[in-house]
């Protein structure tokens, strides 16, 4: 999904044991009273990485960013930036800029004034400031709004001013808290690509908070999925999607079919035997050992649906319960005889309208042995 | 129903305003009276305004009052704003409740007590009463009013603005002066105006804390009135009313404009 093909694809410092992390959270906790907003969290982020924090509302994403920005003091643990302990360093002396979730534009200054603010603090010469401001305005396509005050802008325009303001100083690390939340779908997609290009061109490290999984998938080199102040999994988008580490991650990112059962080892290979006696062939049993309770997670697009029984082991029949038509694809909800519902999605590659499955038809759903991933938590 | 209530409201309004403003209107009218007798109308004249300008004592008092009011309002605004910031910002410092109680208590303290206690203080430390003591006294009692006005604005101030300023490299002090202060400025100005007016018309505290050579206008007027009301006094009072009215109007206009802007800002988050 990256706009910048092959050069980016080789970027994987996290796989290199010699690579030094640029930002390091070491067992960081943040408590508000008894409540742990961030709970013993460790995380490494590398230079020039586009890192996304994904998680439900209230899981501690903003709190994590605010600790890196210097606005919240960790209750315990350390935060290192480029090897330097950030403890006690005030926000204005951190080489980190933040785009606030509420934008926090200065209401008494014009768009220009807002963008120039950080540069003035540095004591940059006037001519240079003017030039930089112009470049930033161009970048966010707000050239004609330079003299307006924030209250004269639309929500999306304000968001772009906030982005320009936080980018103007070329910080080593840019923290973006839901940067695209207020944009409409089209502008949002455009801006996503722009952000990625920009980050790549300027060679910055981005840490982006979002609760939109598609956005995280599109933009990030790696994604951290957070839940209740802890990191559930950190991995590149594809791995998060295809090899989720837990049921939470599998469920949070995309949609999924989950079969709970016990792992057994047969002559033909491992199987997962679920409570209604069905046994699924599995190619890779992951961390699960025989006899253990495990979950088989299969994405809907890896589930086939057909009228006839297919020639694979993992096939169950049921009744078409619901059909959601999206144009490019169709999602079928098939109700098994024990009441469970399995999702199967198909790409509508043929423009064929007759002979389609319809409500209350009997149908077989099936998937190959390597379609699913076995989870133990 | 609506009609009767409407009439009742109109009558109530008229009576209320008459009660409030009739004496003032009378005072203004009689300041243009030709006659020396305050209660007898003898034709329009601006004679007493001219007379007033030749009254050395009155002018001196006016000058003292202007200086005291300006100085005390300015200092009270600085101190009051600082107190308001401390009270809203550092929510959890020890003894905050006591501190805020102590800042706001003088609002309801009878002036006689404030005046008397200040007098005792100045006598105790051997401070000669005069211009400095009146000014100090006025600072003391008007800074709480400033604190209240500024605090009510600060409560709705979005703290992430200040955080954003610091994030962009401003020291806490710069963030305050370049972002917070400009945003809350209308409230600070309103606080200054309030302090100025309070000082301008204070009689009680000034009587306790002033000394020879620092007679304020209200003190002067009061002492002259005891010898009999002259149209000259009416003229002085009319001018005072004018100054205060202009102040009030400017403050409310500024605040109204600000309020409109703010509402517009909040309407499109
Ligand atoms: N100053 C605070 N005092 C008390 N609790 C707080 C404070 N700030 C955050 N919290 C709590 O910490 C938790 C995490 O908050 P945080 O703002 O980090 O969530 P988030 O992941 O950014 O959510 P969202 O996606 O809604 O922005 C929330 O439950 C919140 O109520
Ligand atoms: Mg948040």
């Amino acid at each position: 999904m990256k706009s910048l093909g092959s050069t980016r694809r080789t970027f994987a410092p996290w796989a290199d044991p010699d690579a030094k992390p640029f930002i390091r959270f070491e067992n960081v906790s943040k408590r508000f009273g008894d409540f742990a907003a961030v709970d013993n969290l460790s995380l490494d982020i590398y230079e020039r990485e586009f890192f996304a924090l994904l998680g439900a509302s209230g899981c501690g994403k903003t709190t994590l960013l605010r600790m890196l920005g210097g606005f919240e003091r960790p209750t315990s643990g350390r935060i290192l930036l480029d090897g330097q302990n950030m403890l006690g360093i005030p926000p204005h002396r951190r080489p980190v800029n933040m785009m606030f979730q509420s934008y926090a534009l200065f209401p008494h200054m014009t768009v220009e004034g807002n963008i120039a603010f950080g540069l003035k603090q540095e004591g940059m010469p006037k001519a240079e400031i003017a030039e930089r401001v112009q470049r930033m305005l161009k970048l966010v396509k707000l050239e004609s709004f330079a003299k307006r005050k924030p209250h004269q802008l639309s929500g999306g325009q304000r968001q772009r001013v906030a982005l320009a303001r936080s980018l103007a100083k070329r910080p080593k690390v840019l923290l973006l808290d839901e940067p695209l939340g207020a944009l409409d779908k089209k502008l949002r997609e455009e801006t996503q690509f722009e952000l990625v290009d920009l980050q790549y061109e300027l060679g910055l490290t981005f840490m982006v908070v979002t609760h939109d999984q598609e956005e995280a998938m599109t933009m990030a080199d790696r994604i951290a999925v957070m839940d209740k102040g802890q990191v559930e999994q950190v991995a590149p988008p594809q791995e998060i999607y295809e090899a989720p580490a837990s049921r939470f991650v599998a469920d949070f990112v995309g949609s999924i079919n989950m079969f709970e059962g016990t792992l057994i080892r047969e002559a033909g290979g491992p199987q997962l035997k679920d409570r209604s006696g069905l046994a699924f062939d599995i190619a890779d049993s992951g961390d699960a050992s025989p006899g253990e309770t495990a979950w088989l997670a299969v994405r809907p697009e890896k589930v086939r649906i057909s009228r006839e029984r297919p020639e694979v082991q993992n096939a169950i029949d049921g009744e078409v319960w619901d059909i959601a038509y999206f144009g490019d694809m169709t999602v079928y909800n098939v109700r098994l005889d024990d009441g469970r519902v399995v999702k199967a999605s198909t790409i509508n590659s043929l423009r064929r309208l007759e002979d389609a499955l319809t409500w209350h038809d009997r149908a077989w759903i099936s998937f190959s042995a390597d379609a699913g991933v076995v989870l133990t938590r | 129903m609506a009609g009767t209530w409407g009439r009742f409201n109109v009558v109530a309004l008229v009576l209320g305003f008459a009660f409030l403003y009739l004496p003032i209107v009378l005072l203004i009218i009689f300041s243009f009276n030709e006659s020396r007798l305050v209660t007898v109308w003898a034709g329009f004249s601006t004679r007493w305004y001219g007379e007033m300008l030749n009254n050395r004592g009155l002018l001196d008092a006016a000058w003292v009052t202007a200086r005291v009011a300006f100085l005390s309002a300015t200092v009270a605004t600085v101190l009051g704003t600082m107190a308001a910031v401390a009270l809203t910002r550092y929510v959890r410092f020890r003894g905050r409740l006591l501190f805020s109680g102590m800042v706001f208590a003088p609002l309801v303290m009878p002036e006689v007590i404030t005046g008397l206690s200040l007098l005792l203080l100045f006598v105790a430390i051997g401070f000669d009463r005069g211009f400095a003591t009146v000014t100090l006294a006025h600072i003391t009692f008007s800074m709480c009013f400033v604190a209240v006005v500024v605090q009510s604005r600060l409560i709705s101030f979005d703290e992430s603005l200040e955080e954003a300023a610091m994030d962009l490299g401003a020291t806490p002090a710069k963030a305050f002066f370049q972002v917070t202060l400009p945003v809350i400025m209308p409230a600070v100005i309103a606080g200054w105006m309030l302090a100025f007016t309070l000082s301008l018309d204070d009689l009680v505290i000034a009587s306790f804390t002033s000394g020879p050579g620092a007679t304020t206008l209200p003190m002067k007027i009061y002492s002259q009135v005891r010898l009999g009301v002259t149209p000259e006094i009416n003229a002085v009072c009319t001018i005072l009313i004018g100054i205060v009215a202009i102040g009030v109007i400017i403050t409310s206009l500024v605040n109204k404009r600000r309020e409109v802007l703010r509402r517009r800002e909040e309407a499109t988050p």
Side-chain angles (χ1 to χ4, degrees):
Chain A
M1 287 283 250
K2 282 289 160 80
S3 60
L4 294 144
S6 53
T7 46
R8 293 268 328 193
R9 231 164 263 149
T10 55
F11 179 81
W14 51 88
D16 175 2
D18 295 333
K20 255 185 46 200
F22 191 53
I23 304 167
R24 171 158 235 179
F25 291 90
E26 269 181 15
N27 307 100
V28 173
S29 294
K30 176 72 197 179
R31 269 169 233 291
F32 295 108
D34 302 337
F35 176 77
V38 171
D39 191 5
N40 196 22
L41 176 147
S42 296
L43 197 60
D44 283 346
I45 297 168
Y46 295 85
E47 197 161 8
R48 294 170 171 252
E49 186 171 2
F50 199 121
F51 193 90
L53 279 175
L54 187 60
S57 186
C59 71
K61 304 180 298 285
T62 299
T63 308
L64 196 63
L65 283 203
R66 287 175 59 81
M67 283 194 283
L68 185 52
F71 304 111
E72 253 13 297
R73 209 188 164 86
T75 314
S76 63
R78 294 202 302 170
I79 299 174
L80 303 173
L81 187 81
D82 208 1
Q84 194 195 353
N85 191 348
M86 286 284 112
L87 186 76
I89 297 184
H92 64 275
R93 283 206 231 107
R94 297 190 181 203
V96 170
N97 280 162
M98 177 144 164
M99 180 181 159
F100 287 73
Q101 197 165 8
S102 60
Y103 317 147
L105 297 179
F106 307 132
H108 59 298
M109 295 183 196
T110 59
V111 168
E112 248 175 7
N114 267 280
I115 299 175
F117 186 88
L119 304 171
K120 281 188 190 145
Q121 306 303 323
E122 278 177 7
M124 189 187 258
K126 268 212 164 70
E128 218 173 306
I129 291 182
E131 189 206 5
R132 179 78 66 87
V133 168
Q134 274 313 311
R135 267 228 297 282
M136 287 297 138
L137 285 170
K138 200 161 157 227
L139 187 77
V140 294
K141 305 203 178 66
L142 287 173
E143 291 107 314
S144 53
F145 296 88
K147 301 280 184 243
R148 294 228 193 150
K149 293 271 183 72
H151 68 86
Q152 298 165 315
L153 299 175
S154 75
Q157 287 165 342
R158 285 185 208 180
Q159 197 157 44
R160 274 138 68 199
V161 178
L163 180 64
R165 187 179 70 178
S166 57
L167 269 173
K169 288 192 76 165
R170 302 272 160 80
K172 284 195 201 164
V173 179
L174 187 60
L175 311 175
L176 302 112
D177 201 347
E178 309 249 355
L180 310 177
L183 304 187
D184 62 56
K185 194 163 185 295
K186 193 162 158 13
L187 197 56
R188 194 182 174 110
E189 277 166 10
E190 266 174 42
T191 319
Q192 282 173 7
F193 286 117
E194 272 166 28
L195 266 185
V196 174
D197 285 349
L198 201 80
Q199 183 258 349
Y200 181 72
E201 268 164 42
L202 301 178
L204 307 178
T205 307
F206 271 26
M207 194 165 168
V208 181
V209 162
T210 173
H211 52 224
D212 177 343
Q213 40 151 316
E214 255 177 65
E215 190 171 292
M217 292 279 197
T218 315
M219 299 196 292
D221 291 312
R222 278 191 310 159
I223 297 173
V225 179
M226 282 183 71
D227 182 32
K228 300 196 195 90
Q230 289 177 324
V231 168
E232 280 281 317
Q233 185 176 11
V234 189
Q238 199 182 350
E239 200 179 318
I240 292 271
Y241 189 78
E242 300 294 359
S246 67
R247 284 182 292 151
F248 178 83
V249 176
D251 202 37
F252 191 78
V253 181
S255 68
I256 196 106
N257 297 302
M258 204 80 77
F259 301 96
E260 183 179 349
T262 316
L263 197 76
I264 52 172
R265 200 162 285 280
E266 290 287 300
Q271 284 195 327
L272 186 104
K273 195 164 179 169
D274 85 353
R275 57 184 157 84
S276 55
L278 292 167
F280 299 107
D281 272 350
I282 45 183
D284 179 5
S285 56
D287 305 332
S289 40
E292 199 182 348
T293 301
W295 290 266
L296 178 63
V298 190
R299 298 271 178 212
E301 72 276 8
K302 295 177 180 74
V303 176
R304 273 196 308 277
I305 182 164
S306 55
R307 286 185 190 281
E308 311 299 330
R309 190 194 162 110
E311 293 299 305
V312 292
Q313 159 70 26
N314 300 336
I316 329 168
D317 70 329
E319 181 187 341
V320 176
W321 194 250
D322 203 0
I323 303 174
Y325 178 70
F326 292 102
D328 55 345
M329 58 179 237
T330 304
V331 177
Y332 297 91
N333 284 345
V334 177
R335 193 162 180 267
L336 307 185
D337 295 334
D338 61 7
R340 277 182 293 170
V341 173
V342 177
K343 284 193 181 73
S345 64
T346 56
I347 301 280
N348 298 325
S349 53
L350 295 177
R351 212 176 141 268
R352 189 187 51 192
L353 297 173
E354 69 277 6
D355 193 38
L357 281 162
T358 181
W359 278 267
H360 306 304
D361 281 359
R362 292 300 292 185
W364 284 86
I365 56 135
S366 60
F367 49 90
S368 60
D370 60 1
V373 53
V374 174
L375 304 172
T376 51
R377 63 184 174 103
Chain B
M1 263 279 272
T4 46
W5 272 110
R7 203 168 308 140
F8 175 79
N9 280 345
V10 169
V11 171
L13 205 67
V14 169
L15 279 179
F17 271 93
F19 190 68
L20 274 177
Y21 287 105
L22 202 59
I24 295 176
V25 172
L26 278 180
L27 183 143
I28 294 173
I29 292 172
F30 277 106
S31 75
F32 294 104
N33 192 0
E34 170 68 42
S35 162
R36 168 163 284 280
L37 296 165
V38 184
T39 47
V40 181
W41 183 255
F44 180 85
S45 141
T46 52
R47 170 182 155 202
W48 299 108
Y49 286 86
E51 205 109 318
M52 172 193 82
L53 288 178
N54 291 324
N55 186 334
R56 195 71 236 167
L58 218 51
L59 285 185
D60 282 349
W63 180 230
V64 168
T65 297
R67 272 162 38 212
V68 169
F70 185 82
L71 206 63
S72 69
T74 307
V75 178
T77 302
V78 173
L79 294 179
T81 304
M82 275 161 52
V85 169
L87 285 176
T88 33
R89 226 26 92 63
Y90 310 107
V91 181
R92 263 184 270 275
F93 72 90
R94 286 176 54 148
R96 172 179 174 272
L97 207 65
L98 184 69
F99 186 59
S100 67
M102 278 163 64
V103 167
F104 299 131
L107 286 181
V108 289
M109 186 83 75
E111 283 185 355
V112 178
I113 293 178
T114 311
L116 186 61
S117 55
L118 282 164
L119 171 65
L120 289 178
L121 173 74
F122 292 138
V123 170
I125 61 174
F127 208 146
D128 277 346
R129 279 176 296 141
F131 181 80
T133 48
V134 191
T135 310
L136 277 175
H138 280 183
I139 292 169
T140 321
F141 91 99
S142 59
M143 74 164 261
C144 352
F145 289 86
V146 177
V148 170
V149 172
V150 175
Q151 198 188 15
S152 70
R153 174 64 187 94
L154 272 175
I155 285 169
S156 64
F157 177 79
D158 178 8
E159 256 177 75
S160 66
L161 289 186
E162 214 168 82
E163 288 179 347
M166 286 192 255
D167 186 64
L168 292 165
T171 59
K174 273 189 174 170
F176 178 78
F177 284 110
Q178 294 183 15
V179 173
T180 312
L181 195 57
V183 173
I184 63 165
M185 199 38 120
V188 174
I189 292 173
W192 188 90
M193 295 268 199
L194 186 61
F196 188 82
T197 336
L198 284 171
S199 167
L200 205 63
D201 71 11
D202 164 68
L203 172 64
V204 179
I205 291 173
S207 314
F208 276 105
T209 54
S210 182
T215 308
T216 66
L217 196 55
M219 287 166 72
K220 186 83 191 166
I221 292 171
Y222 186 68
S223 64
Q224 287 211 353
V225 165
R226 279 197 297 191
L227 308 174
V229 182
T230 61
E232 205 177 351
I233 294 294
N234 288 347
V236 177
C237 291
T238 302
I239 287 175
L240 268 182
I241 291 167
I243 293 173
V244 172
I246 289 169
V248 169
I249 290 168
I250 290 176
T251 318
S252 64
L253 282 183
V254 167
N255 275 348
K256 194 163 175 185
R257 196 175 146 260
R258 247 356 246 211
E259 199 51 43
V260 169
L261 285 184
R262 210 160 87 210
R263 234 175 265 151
R264 218 183 298 158
E265 258 163 49
E266 279 156 15
T268 40

